[in-house]
Amino acid sequence: MANMKRIAELAGVSLGTVSHVLNGTARVREPLRERVLNAVHETGYQPSQLARGLRRDKTNILAMIVPDILNPFFPGVVRGAEDVAFANGFRLVLCNTDNDHKKELVHLNALQTYLPSGLIVIPSDFSDLTAQAESYRKSGAAVVCVDRLPRNWAGDSVTSDNAVGAFNATSYLIDLGHRRLAVITGPLHLTNSQDRLKGFKRAVRQAGLEIAPAYAQEATFDRAGGYAKTKILLRLLPRPTAILACNDMIALGALMAVREEKLNCPDDISIIGFDGLDVTETTTPQLSSVYQSSYQLGAEAVQLALDRFADTSSPVRHIVLKTELKIRESVAPPPKLESANGTGSAKRLRLAAVRA
Amino acid sequence: MANMKRIAELAGVSLGTVSHVLNGTARVREPLRERVLNAVHETGYQPSQLARGLRRDKTNILAMIVPDILNPFFPGVVRGAEDVAFANGFRLVLCNTDNDHKKELVHLNALQTYLPSGLIVIPSDFSDLTAQAESYRKSGAAVVCVDRLPRNWAGDSVTSDNAVGAFNATSYLIDLGHRRLAVITGPLHLTNSQDRLKGFKRAVRQAGLEIAPAYAQEATFDRAGGYAKTKILLRLLPRPTAILACNDMIALGALMAVREEKLNCPDDISIIGFDGLDVTETTTPQLSSVYQSSYQLGAEAVQLALDRFADTSSPVRHIVLKTELKIRESVAPPPKLESANGTGSAKRLRLAAVRA
DNA sequence: TTGTAGGCGTTATCAG
DNA sequence: CTGATAACGCCTACAA
């Protein structure tokens, strides 16, 4: 690969002049300028990002840390981030933490040696990246947290409005006539889980309802978690008539459990998920869900990092994205016959299936 | 951040000695060695990957290029790649091409300036990266193609055994008694699409069956493609009794179309997808699919790159991974009443629904 | 076994 | 406006 020296030779100018032409760091007379550009064009020369980074103490790399790209919510974030990064000449180094803050720390330390311009991170469980973030900032890199925040996070962030999303979904169920509402939250040490639970509770309170503690279950953010907790919920007397699942994976597990118990969704029990993943459109019944744009989350995060990079002294920003309640087939008014033993619902199951 | 010079001062040795200790490039007497290690430990020093890369003409970066991380098949590949990379001290720079070989080229050129040790690429449509690959190899980077291959690809590769996977699925349908088989392929300029079609045709031929051209439809690898082509297939007389969908997205679209036409899967028509995505477990009926391990694809690709990196002269390797036919609820023997007008199937639809 | 010094490809400073 | 030249942090002959 050609280097600047070679370009300088070809153009018959000095190395410094080439640099000036390439970076617009000084006005260069047209004939020289043209000769340099020609040489660049002919050789297909591209400056070494390594050397440039070394010299400028900063690369056009963005470190992107996510729990697990296999979790169907995260690819959207990554894609949104990559698009904005690419549009601005930046590249993403992608790392998975498996929600392990130990592994997160390893990545954080290692990535800093590339002198990235920014760090976009979806914090792992129990992450406390205050110290690391400080270190990154000191080296001139912008740090943005996405989707969930570490305890006492004081830096820039982009999240969805989880509380309002959950509030709207819950209110919708209440308006349909549901009174025995259950919620399956994600791990409650995560801020997004906490906020969704808060939204749920606020809607319940506002409607003057009481929710017994057993109706609020904490689960892992996956199908297995949703399945297990739904099994528990379905055995409660009286049985809840609606479940707010705090993400779509949990909702899928819930649907599975409902089906296994020979109950029908939505006739016996309504389910609303959270995230609005594509998979909610392919289940039977199609899952209602609080949609949030993972793509937008990532895109805004990188934009925020670039802004911060340009102006390091402006006040910290917390961008909060709107959610959208997508009602599909998994919600209905509560069953009329309120016998909690499930006898009545067997019949409704049959009717519902025929109707489908 | 500390640098080697600082470590040298702290340890009271020369810069070169520090380097020797860190890289094991020369035997250093224990007391000195220990002093260096202590200084490293105390300062939390980590060598600059930029400087190291510049000096050694190679970084521990791997360039990973995929069509679109939003396509649910690709996160697995990326994750498999990242895990093996991480285990060996490498990092992944992730780029999306949107299947645009123009964009692919931009990435290819840009990434080379980071002096990556390897390039793992799922080629875009009409990609011809022979020239770029040569350039990468010349600079000492290993190049591995994954999932699909550019025309006349002569380098290392990792793919699934698409032909055998499709053959097995088709044979399974034939063994169930199906005679009017249809196939919806992906874009036929992709080698994986071609291979799956070949497998389908071989199974058909081997069973002594004839397939009218209209029974083989080419679609885009997404739900919309599967939906549109299935609509066409369902209007054919006689109607096919089974569809091999060449990926799961197509299968999802097919399922949607079948449902919309008031037909029942599997009683009226069987469907088998390809890839074995998680989503196949959450549809009704659950989709049968030819499972391939996207994770393994990525993991093997990086391992192959590392091997190649260690031994640049060994013969080219084409790793081909086994697939596994996962039969779930979407397949059944063909309907007994072979009236093609669909009158008979309305009744079966009702029965099937009740049964469900 | 340890230290010294040149150079990887850039950028940036400073004379001319 | 242009051209030398000194870093950036590290590796690696080569010298001591």
Side-chain angles (χ1 to χ4, degrees):
Chain A
M1 293 218 303
N3 57 17
M4 262 177 79
K5 194 162 147 203
R6 174 115 187 76
I7 300 295
E9 284 170 7
L10 277 165
V13 298
S14 83
L15 205 144
T17 304
V18 176
S19 178
H20 282 137
V21 170
L22 262 41
N23 298 304
T25 169
R27 207 148 206 78
V28 175
R29 232 190 296 271
E30 192 52 35
L32 288 200
R33 202 182 112 79
E34 195 151 330
R35 263 149 58 196
V36 169
L37 259 25
N38 279 340
V40 167
H41 200 74
E42 281 167 24
T43 56
Y45 164 78
Q46 290 191 275
S48 160
Q49 295 298 334
L50 252 38
R52 173 192 285 246
L54 178 61
R55 184 56 233 246
R56 311 217 317 198
D57 226 64
K58 185 152 310 298
T59 63
N60 50 187
I61 286 178
L62 297 180
M64 170 117 217
I65 298 187
V66 303
D68 182 4
I69 191 72
L70 285 175
N71 179 322
F73 181 69
F74 296 132
V77 183
V78 171
R79 188 61 217 262
E82 211 259 311
D83 280 359
V84 177
F86 178 61
N88 290 277
F90 289 82
R91 307 280 155 179
L92 245 46
V93 175
L94 182 71
C95 297
N96 296 282
T97 63
D98 287 315
N99 261 324
D100 175 0
H101 69 284
K102 204 79 181 152
K103 194 173 174 192
E104 182 180 79
L105 198 60
V106 171
H107 278 132
L108 249 20
N109 285 329
L111 291 180
Q112 204 168 5
T113 67
Y114 292 98
L115 304 182
S117 289
L119 168 66
I120 316 293
V121 49
I122 301 177
S124 67
D125 291 349
F126 310 110
S127 164
D128 176 17
L129 34 81
T130 315
Q132 304 295 324
E134 196 45 52
S135 169
Y136 268 78
R137 284 198 205 94
K138 203 174 309 177
S139 77
V143 182
V144 178
C145 273
V146 187
D147 184 39
R148 24 164 124 152
L149 309 181
R151 283 256 156 269
N152 307 318
W153 179 244
D156 294 315
S157 69
V158 184
T159 55
S160 288
D161 199 337
N162 293 298
V164 169
F167 175 86
N168 290 343
T170 309
S171 298
Y172 185 91
L173 291 169
I174 293 171
D175 289 348
L176 274 181
H178 289 277
R179 290 297 173 268
R180 294 202 304 275
L181 299 165
V183 60
I184 305 177
T185 73
L188 282 175
H189 57 264
L190 298 179
T191 52
N192 52 6
S193 284
Q194 294 164 11
D195 291 344
R196 289 171 202 177
L197 179 57
K198 276 181 203 157
F200 172 83
K201 284 187 170 168
R202 187 159 64 83
V204 164
R205 204 181 319 121
Q206 192 165 307
L209 300 176
E210 292 278 341
I211 301 291
Y215 284 68
Q217 296 282 337
E218 179 178 355
T220 48
F221 263 146
D222 53 27
R223 253 160 66 190
Y227 175 85
K229 299 306 181 177
T230 302
K231 283 282 193 175
I232 293 175
L233 289 175
L234 295 181
R235 278 169 173 62
L236 295 179
L237 293 178
R239 200 168 59 208
T241 63
I243 297 177
L244 177 67
C246 282
N247 85 349
D248 287 336
M249 293 295 108
I250 290 177
L252 288 177
L255 195 56
M256 200 181 313
V258 165
R259 188 172 304 157
E260 209 172 277
E261 294 290 323
K262 309 287 188 220
L263 293 172
N264 176 277
C265 171
D267 293 278
D268 295 307
I269 191 159
S270 292
I271 299 176
I272 298 184
F274 207 111
D275 286 349
L277 302 179
D278 285 347
V279 70
T280 58
E281 296 176 19
T282 59
T283 54
T284 309
Q286 292 187 338
L287 271 172
S288 305
S289 188
V290 180
Y291 172 79
Q292 61 169 327
S293 174
S294 55
Y295 183 94
Q296 201 62 23
L297 232 36
E300 295 279 358
V302 169
Q303 190 55 58
L304 181 48
L306 298 179
D307 292 350
R308 170 65 57 207
F309 187 55
D311 174 9
T312 174
S313 67
S314 66
V316 165
R317 288 171 63 195
H318 294 288
I319 297 180
V320 179
L321 303 181
K322 279 195 175 32
T323 61
E324 187 183 346
L325 181 58
K326 301 254 191 192
I327 294 301
R328 288 194 266 263
E329 303 165 350
S330 67
V331 293
K336 287 288 186 292
L337 306 172
E338 291 272 327
S339 71
N341 55 16
T343 319
S345 40
K347 186 176 243 155
R348 281 198 303 281
L349 167 65
R350 176 172 255 99
L351 290 170
V354 169
R355 195 194 61 181
Chain B
M1 293 218 301
N3 58 18
M4 263 177 78
K5 195 163 146 202
R6 174 116 187 75
I7 301 296
E9 284 169 7
L10 277 164
V13 299
S14 84
L15 201 148
T17 304
V18 176
S19 178
H20 282 138
V21 171
L22 261 42
N23 299 304
T25 168
R27 205 145 208 80
V28 175
R29 232 190 294 272
E30 193 52 36
L32 289 201
R33 203 181 111 76
E34 195 152 331
R35 263 150 57 197
V36 169
L37 259 24
N38 279 341
V40 167
H41 201 73
E42 282 169 23
T43 57
Y45 165 77
Q46 291 191 274
S48 160
Q49 296 297 334
L50 253 38
R52 172 190 285 244
L54 179 61
R55 185 57 233 254
R56 299 171 114 178
D57 226 63
K58 186 151 308 304
T59 64
N60 50 186
I61 286 178
L62 297 181
M64 169 118 218
I65 299 187
V66 304
D68 182 5
I69 191 73
L70 286 175
N71 178 323
F73 180 70
F74 296 131
V77 183
V78 171
R79 188 61 216 263
E82 212 259 311
D83 280 359
V84 176
F86 179 61
N88 290 276
F90 289 82
R91 306 281 155 179
L92 244 47
V93 175
L94 181 72
C95 296
N96 296 282
T97 62
D98 289 314
N99 261 324
D100 175 358
H101 69 284
K102 203 82 183 151
K103 196 172 173 190
E104 182 180 79
L105 198 59
V106 172
H107 279 132
L108 249 19
N109 285 329
L111 291 180
Q112 204 169 4
T113 67
Y114 291 97
L115 304 183
S117 288
L119 168 66
I120 315 293
V121 49
I122 301 177
S124 67
D125 292 348
F126 310 110
S127 164
D128 176 16
L129 35 82
T130 315
Q132 303 296 323
E134 195 44 51
S135 169
Y136 268 78
R137 283 197 207 95
K138 203 174 309 178
S139 77
V143 181
V144 178
C145 272
V146 187
D147 185 38
R148 23 163 126 154
L149 308 181
R151 283 255 155 271
N152 307 318
W153 179 244
D156 293 317
S157 70
V158 184
T159 55
S160 288
D161 199 338
N162 293 297
V164 168
F167 175 86
N168 290 343
T170 310
S171 298
Y172 186 90
L173 291 169
I174 292 172
D175 289 348
L176 274 181
H178 289 276
R179 290 299 172 267
R180 294 203 303 274
L181 300 165
V183 61
I184 304 177
T185 73
L188 283 175
H189 56 265
L190 297 178
T191 52
N192 51 7
S193 285
Q194 293 163 11
D195 291 345
R196 289 170 201 176
L197 179 56
K198 275 181 205 157
F200 172 83
K201 283 187 170 169
R202 188 159 63 83
V204 164
R205 202 181 321 119
Q206 192 163 307
L209 299 176
E210 291 278 342
I211 301 292
Y215 284 68
Q217 296 283 336
E218 179 178 355
T220 48
F221 263 145
D222 53 26
R223 253 159 66 190
Y227 175 85
K229 298 307 182 177
T230 302
K231 283 283 192 175
I232 292 175
L233 289 175
L234 296 180
R235 279 169 173 63
L236 295 178
L237 295 178
R239 201 168 58 207
T241 62
I243 297 177
L244 176 66
C246 282
N247 85 349
D248 286 336
M249 294 294 110
I250 290 178
L252 288 178
L255 196 56
M256 201 180 311
V258 165
R259 188 172 303 159
E260 208 171 277
E261 294 290 323
K262 308 285 187 221
L263 293 173
N264 177 278
C265 171
D267 294 278
D268 295 308
I269 190 159
S270 292
I271 298 176
I272 299 184
F274 206 111
D275 286 348
L277 301 179
D278 285 347
V279 69
T280 57
E281 296 176 21
T282 59
T283 54
T284 310
Q286 292 186 337
L287 271 171
S288 305
S289 188
V290 179
Y291 173 80
Q292 61 168 328
S293 174
S294 55
Y295 183 94
Q296 202 62 22
L297 233 35
E300 294 279 356
V302 169
Q303 190 56 59
L304 182 48
L306 297 179
D307 292 349
R308 170 64 58 207
F309 186 56
D311 174 9
T312 175
S313 67
S314 65
V316 165
R317 287 171 63 195
H318 293 287
I319 296 180
V320 178
L321 302 181
K322 279 196 175 34
T323 62
E324 187 183 347
L325 181 58
K326 301 254 191 190
I327 294 302
R328 290 195 264 262
E329 302 165 350
S330 67
V331 293
K336 288 289 185 290
L337 307 173
E338 291 270 328
S339 71
N341 56 15
T343 319
S345 41
K347 186 176 242 154
R348 280 198 304 280
L349 168 66
R350 176 173 255 97
L351 290 170
V354 170
R355 196 195 63 181

